[in-house]
């Protein structure tokens, strides 16, 4: 079932009561989150010991170990697992923890619940720092420099798990089945949920749960597990553990044409070529490098020499009263990007004020009706966005405003050039600049980067992140990319602009000064190949700023536009304003296998997709590359490494490059 066009709203928080011993109790289920006797010890016994953790980590043959949990609740299981992982000596597999939760705790309740465990204080405060609150969707959080990934899916397990299982990908090594007691929480223990648990298992996967209910035992047996009853914790007589030993349940019949499921899958790579050193290429290289993969990052010229070459850009997102792939991606990518830049700033890989600042951004709006409607909707997610009137905006920005709008406290500005440099400095990345115009070729099952006939580098996989030039690679000519010219203007900081404390987005944008200058922008020119700076465009940028900051109008009109500096760059847009992220389809095979869509676009065709082995794409980031490229890189890294994706299948399909072949077949255009 698609979310598109349904009302966008924050998720419903868990309704908590607190018992006499300050333990949280879920009012709707009349049940406790963990044992009243000793929550810590119960969790350790039932879930960690029940899955033979941490011992299994030391013998684990793969680079990552994935735990799936039904019911994130207070995060206690996660924190205990993270702590046990931390206590292990290196080398240890990366920890990937995927948890599904329909009724997340509010921030305040989470803080109160976790306040009970002084031994977990350090980890709990890191979790609270990045906790997504009640923003709907799937959220990727990373800790320990990317070695610990927490995926929080704020969804009903009855929807999320069958949807994940429909990827037909073994993802999970150990399950923590932690709904409330089956008699009170039937939805968490239904056959569809437990069968999806079985379908998602990797080889030798295990599960553990506190319950010993007969129905649960039978369904888990039917899901492929050999189930064992063992003594329960404390006063509980028995609980269940099990190992995947039998056949996993057959996949449910496809409800959509599975063009996004690759017919063949490759082993996780040891080395990857990334072609293109802009934001898309650098984030991709970084996401892979953090997974221990050797990356050769190649650019025809210097890092960030094209679209990503501006001194300042804004971390944008998008609000809407309705769900759509565009809105969901804008919000999920924004939350992830903001957390990643926060981490880079915190450890001085990016220098505050010089390379960026998460000082917030205010977006003017003249849509009073939408603001009124969203003001109510946003009430429980003030950390995401708030509606401000002009006076409130004055106070926050430090300069006079006449317009109301939206305030995004986790936003700010970044220097794309500095971001690219910081990411490319990862020790697992070998950077090759000034390579000249490269292309790629598949040879003996691996990929070569070629300058003319010369092999410059090779690896098992390649990612094309060459912005607008991606459709110059042979076989990719069909990609629908549109270059959009944009000119920025450098403005020395004077007058009221000196007081600007946060980014201001109007018909253009301005951020607090960097090295005494603001890089303001930007013009928007379709089909405009003229890459020279134009005085008219400077005037346009100044006029827009004057309209947004009326107090500054006179000073702006006195500026000699002839002497202004700036920069011209090209955004790379797609017809649906979403980037192109994922495996490269075999075009001819798609036209053959899905050709019947020309006659009936609604039918389900049961063939999986033929993809070019080991070739991926990351481009089409339009005007929002600072926001969209970090999660896009995570999506690619997850696909290459066989890890859970950072977003649900619906969104992955909305980003997959092959969508345009399906669209054109359905419209009978190809
Ligand atoms: C004027 C302007 C203002 C913008 N403002 C913002 C903003 O405020 N916020 C925001 O988030 N985004 C903004 N953007 C958009 C953002 O800059 C882009 O989305 C982002 O830079 C795209 O990154 P990319 O890596 O996909 O492409 P690019 O940065 O263009 O990188 C592509 C790289 O590939 C290399 N390359 C190309 N062909 C080859 C080849 N054959 N061989 C080897 N290398 C090759 C190029 O040299 C280049 O380095 C703005 C863009 C412009 C132009
Ligand atoms: C026992 S608590 C989990 C405790 C948690 N693991 C911890 O460490 O604190 C059960 C959780 O399941 C969630 N839940 C109940 N029904 C659900 C459903 N249908 N889908 C997803 N989550 C659900 C509840 O909101 C609750 O947070």
């Amino acid at each position: 079932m698609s979310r598109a066009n349904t009302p966008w709203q924050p998720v419903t928080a868990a309704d908590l009561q607190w018992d006499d011993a300050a333990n949280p109790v879920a009012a709707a289920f009349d049940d406790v989150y963990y044992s009243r006797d000793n929550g810590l010890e119960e969790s350790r016994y039932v879930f960690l010991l029940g899955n033979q953790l941490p011992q299994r980590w030391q013998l684990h043959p793969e680079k990552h170990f994935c735990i799936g949990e039904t019911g994130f609740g207070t995060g206690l299981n996660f924190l205990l697992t993270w702590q046990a992982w931390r206590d292990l000596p290196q080398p240890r597999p990366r920890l990937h923890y995927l948890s599904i939760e329909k009724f997340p705790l509010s921030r305040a309740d989470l803080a109160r619940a976790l306040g009970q465990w002084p031994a977990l204080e350090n980890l709990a405060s890191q979790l609270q720092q990045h906790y997504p609150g009640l923003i709907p969707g799937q959220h990727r959080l990373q800790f320990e420099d990317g070695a610990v990934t927490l995926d929080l899916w704020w969804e009903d397990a009855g929807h999320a798990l069958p949807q994940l299982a429909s990827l037909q990908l073994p993802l999970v090594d150990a399950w923590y089945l932690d709904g409330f007691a089956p008699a009170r929480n039937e939805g968490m223990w239904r056959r569809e949920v437990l069968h999806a648990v079985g379908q998602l298992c990797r080889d030798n996967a295990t599960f553990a749960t506190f319950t010993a209910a007969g129905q649960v035992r039978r369904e888990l047996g039917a899901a492929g597990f050999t189930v064992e009853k063992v003594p329960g914790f404390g006063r509980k007589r028995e609980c269940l553990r099990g190992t995947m030993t039998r056949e996993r349940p057959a996949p449910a019949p496809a409800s959509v044409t599975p063009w996004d499921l690759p017919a063949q899958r490759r082993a996780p790579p040891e080395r990857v070529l990334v072609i293109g050193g802009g934001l898309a290429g650098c984030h991709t290289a970084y996401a892979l490098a953090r997974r221990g993969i050797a990356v050769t990052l190649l650019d025809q010229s210097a890092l960030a020499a094209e679209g990503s070459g501006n001194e300042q850009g804004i971390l944008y997102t998008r609000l809407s009263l309705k769900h759509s792939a565009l809105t969901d991606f804008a919000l999920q990518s924004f939350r992830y990007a903001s957390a990643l830049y926060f981490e880079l700033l915190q450890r001085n890989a990016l220098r505050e004020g010089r390379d960026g600042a998460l000082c917030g951004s205010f977006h003017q709006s003249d849509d009073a009706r939408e603001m009124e409607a969203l003001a109510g909707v946003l009430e429980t997610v003030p950390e995401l966005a708030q509606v401000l009137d002009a006076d409130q905006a004055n106070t926050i920005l430090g300069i006079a405003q006449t317009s109301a709008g939206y305030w995004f406290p986790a936003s700010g500005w970044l220097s794309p050039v500095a971001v690219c440099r910081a990411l490319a400095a990862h020790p697992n990345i070998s950077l090759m600049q000034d390579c000249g115009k490269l292309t790629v070729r598949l040879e003996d099952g691996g990929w070569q980067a070629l300058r003319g006939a010369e092999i410059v580098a090779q690896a098992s996989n390649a990612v094309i992140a060459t912005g607008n030039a991606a459709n110059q690679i042979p076989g990719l000519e069909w990609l629908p990319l549109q270059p959009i010219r944009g000119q920025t203007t450098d403005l020395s900081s004077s007058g009221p602009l000196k007081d600007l404390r946060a980014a201001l987005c109007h018909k253009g944008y301005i951020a607090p000064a960097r090295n005494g200058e603001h890089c303001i922008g930007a013009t928007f020119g379709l089909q405009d190949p003229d890459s020279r700076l134009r005085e008219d465009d400077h005037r346009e940028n100044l006029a827009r700023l004057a309209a947004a900051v009326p107090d500054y109008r006179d000073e702006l009109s006195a500026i000699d536009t002839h002497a202004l500096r700036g920069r011209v760059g090209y955004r790379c847009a797609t017809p649906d304003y979403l980037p192109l992220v994922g495996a490269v389809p075999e075009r001819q095979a798609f036209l053959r296998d899905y050709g019947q869509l020309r006659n009936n676009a609604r039918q389900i065709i049961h063939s999986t997709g033929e993809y070019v082995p080991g070739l991926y794409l990351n481009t089409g980031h339009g005007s929002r590359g600072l926001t969209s490229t970090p999660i896009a890189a995570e999506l690619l890294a997850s696909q290459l490494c066989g890890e859970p994706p950072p977003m649900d299948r619906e969104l992955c399909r909305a980003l997959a490059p092959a969508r345009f072949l399906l669209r054109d077949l359905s419209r009978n255009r190809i």
Side-chain angles (χ1 to χ4, degrees):
M1 191 190 64
S2 167
R3 272 185 312 272
N5 266 328
T6 59
W8 187 92
Q9 54 199 12
V11 279
T12 311
D15 180 8
L16 292 200
Q17 290 164 352
W18 301 86
D19 70 10
D20 296 343
N23 291 309
V25 178
F29 297 93
D30 188 22
D31 202 357
V32 287
Y33 279 75
Y34 37 75
S35 159
R36 287 192 163 104
D37 295 340
N38 189 336
L40 286 188
E41 282 318 312
E42 184 198 31
S43 285
R44 279 201 191 101
Y45 171 79
V46 173
F47 296 108
L48 280 118
L49 195 68
N51 282 296
Q52 301 126 53
L53 301 176
Q55 295 81 347
R56 263 170 83 199
W57 288 330
Q58 286 173 305
L59 307 169
H60 192 62
E62 316 259 342
K63 283 191 173 158
H64 81 279
F65 187 96
C66 178
I67 293 175
E69 179 182 52
T70 50
F72 185 70
T74 66
L76 177 60
N77 287 345
F78 166 66
L79 293 180
L80 285 172
T81 306
W82 177 9
Q83 190 185 51
W85 175 90
R86 253 188 159 201
D87 290 344
L88 268 193
Q90 307 256 23
R92 57 196 167 193
R94 283 180 296 108
L95 176 63
H96 196 121
Y97 196 102
L98 164 67
S99 194
I100 316 289
E101 173 60 62
K102 187 174 178 186
F103 307 105
L105 266 60
S106 67
R107 285 174 180 279
D109 282 340
L110 185 80
R112 183 167 172 190
L114 293 179
Q116 281 195 62
W117 317 114
L120 296 173
E121 193 183 340
N122 168 24
L123 305 188
S125 72
Q126 292 183 58
L127 171 62
Q128 287 169 67
Q129 170 81 50
H130 294 297
Y131 191 66
L134 304 178
I135 303 171
Q138 308 86 40
H139 305 287
R140 174 153 293 184
L141 284 63
Q142 282 173 326
F143 307 98
E144 310 276 359
D145 195 13
V148 173
T149 296
L150 171 62
D151 282 342
L152 292 174
W153 289 39
W154 290 164
E155 311 227 10
D156 190 326
H159 170 74
L161 286 178
Q163 206 213 32
L164 250 184
S166 75
L167 291 172
Q168 298 185 27
L169 197 59
L171 292 173
V172 178
D173 296 291
W175 284 98
Y176 295 1
L177 303 180
D178 198 15
F180 292 117
R184 301 164 192 230
N185 190 189
E186 185 265 337
M188 203 61 145
W189 305 95
R190 285 210 309 258
R191 174 170 296 173
E192 306 89 273
V193 174
L194 298 180
H195 283 206
V197 162
Q199 285 160 345
L200 283 161
C201 281
R202 295 169 87 187
D203 289 344
N204 306 314
T206 56
F207 82 85
T209 180
F210 63 89
T211 180
Q215 179 69 9
V216 172
R217 183 161 45 87
R218 284 188 290 280
E219 292 297 359
L220 285 167
F225 290 101
T226 295
V227 183
E228 189 190 1
K229 264 193 201 168
V230 294
F233 181 81
R235 280 174 284 181
K236 285 199 184 118
R237 216 155 47 90
E238 289 170 325
C239 63
L240 301 177
R241 295 175 183 173
T243 307
M244 177 53 67
T245 51
R246 300 201 300 274
E247 201 146 306
R248 297 159 179 77
S255 58
V256 289
T257 294
W259 55 262
D260 53 322
L261 307 186
Q264 279 102 31
R265 298 193 195 265
R266 292 190 139 196
E270 297 291 330
R271 175 174 289 279
V272 175
L273 302 180
V274 177
I275 318 286
L279 284 168
C282 291
H283 274 293
T284 304
Y286 185 70
L288 292 165
R290 291 224 285 186
R291 286 165 168 78
I293 295 168
V295 180
T296 310
L297 174 61
L298 306 108
D299 200 284
Q300 60 186 4
S301 53
L303 273 187
E306 297 207 341
S308 309
N310 289 340
E311 297 293 331
Q312 291 186 306
I314 309 297
L315 196 59
Y316 288 110
T317 185
R318 182 192 300 268
L319 297 171
S320 167
L321 286 162
K322 297 251 172 86
H323 277 287
S324 66
L326 214 54
T327 307
D328 295 350
F329 180 69
L331 290 175
Q332 292 177 205
S333 57
F334 171 71
R335 207 213 52 76
Y336 180 75
S338 173
L340 180 65
Y341 295 129
F342 177 87
E343 183 205 319
L344 292 170
L345 286 161
Q346 207 177 33
R347 61 180 166 84
N348 271 335
L350 291 175
R351 297 281 291 279
E352 181 84 29
R354 185 195 69 181
D355 300 332
L358 295 177
C359 47
S361 68
F362 175 70
H363 296 236
Q364 295 183 344
S365 170
D366 50 17
D367 188 340
R369 273 180 52 187
E370 188 191 64
M371 277 189 284
E372 194 187 336
L374 277 171
V377 172
L378 292 168
E379 244 163 35
T380 57
V381 283
E383 71 280 16
L384 169 65
Q386 298 153 36
V387 175
L388 302 187
D389 62 26
D391 286 344
Q392 292 168 315
N394 291 345
T395 312
I396 278 192
L397 286 171
I399 59 173
Q401 282 294 287
T402 51
S403 171
Y406 301 99
W407 169 240
F408 296 96
S411 166
W413 67 271
L414 289 137
S415 155
V417 182
V419 169
C420 289
R421 287 196 191 124
L423 299 170
H426 193 287
N428 290 341
I429 300 176
S430 316
L431 176 61
M432 296 177 71
Q433 301 184 82
D434 301 313
C435 295
K437 201 172 159 137
L438 300 173
T439 189
V440 292
R441 178 174 70 191
L442 180 62
E443 194 68 36
D444 294 333
W447 286 92
Q448 299 174 335
L450 300 172
R451 175 176 39 221
E454 182 194 352
I455 301 171
V456 179
Q458 42 195 341
S460 58
N461 296 64
V463 180
I464 306 297
T466 51
N468 282 306
N471 56 11
Q472 290 169 19
I473 301 278
L476 294 182
E477 298 84 353
W478 57 272
L479 291 175
L481 303 178
Q482 170 147 64
I484 300 177
R485 184 185 183 281
Q487 180 172 318
T488 53
T489 302
D490 299 340
L491 205 58
S492 64
S493 199
S494 63
L497 294 188
K498 277 194 167 148
D499 301 325
L500 186 63
R501 287 197 287 264
L504 167 63
C505 301
H506 42 97
K507 300 248 177 330
Y509 59 82
I510 181 165
R514 170 179 192 262
N515 296 332
E517 286 203 330
H518 306 270
C519 164
I520 69 162
T523 59
F524 203 84
L526 290 171
Q527 292 175 354
D528 187 348
D530 177 11
S531 60
R532 290 167 305 170
L533 272 179
R534 296 195 296 237
E535 205 175 330
D536 269 359
D537 286 28
H538 285 319
R539 280 195 208 100
E540 189 179 324
N541 282 334
L542 296 184
R544 287 207 186 115
L545 181 59
V549 191
D551 276 6
Y552 195 42
R553 189 169 293 154
D554 292 345
E555 283 176 65
L556 282 172
S557 59
I559 288 176
D560 173 9
T561 46
H562 190 63
L564 282 174
R565 286 176 293 113
R567 187 173 181 280
V568 175
Y570 285 84
R571 308 165 182 94
C572 172
T574 66
D576 58 12
Y577 308 106
L578 283 166
L580 292 161
V581 190
V584 171
E586 293 274 12
R587 185 171 184 272
Q588 287 310 325
F590 264 63
L591 299 192
R592 179 193 66 214
D593 295 342
Y594 304 114
Q596 292 164 42
L597 292 175
R598 294 186 186 105
N599 306 326
N600 174 4
R602 286 167 179 264
Q603 67 187 304
I604 295 178
I605 297 174
H606 289 277
S607 316
T608 49
E610 287 281 337
Y611 286 85
V612 181
L615 187 64
Y616 292 79
L617 198 62
N618 190 1
T619 188
H621 291 278
S623 305
R624 287 155 192 257
L626 279 168
T627 308
S628 54
T629 51
I631 200 82
E634 275 299 304
L635 172 58
L636 282 183
S638 304
Q639 289 174 340
L640 277 150
C641 296
E643 297 170 13
M647 57 194 75
D648 69 8
R649 186 172 171 199
E650 195 178 337
L651 262 190
C652 294
R653 283 165 69 96
L655 304 187
R659 70 185 186 272
F660 286 112
L661 295 179
L662 275 293
R663 179 200 66 171
D664 288 349
L665 281 169
S666 302
R667 295 180 185 172
N668 220 337
R669 284 197 196 150
I670 46 175

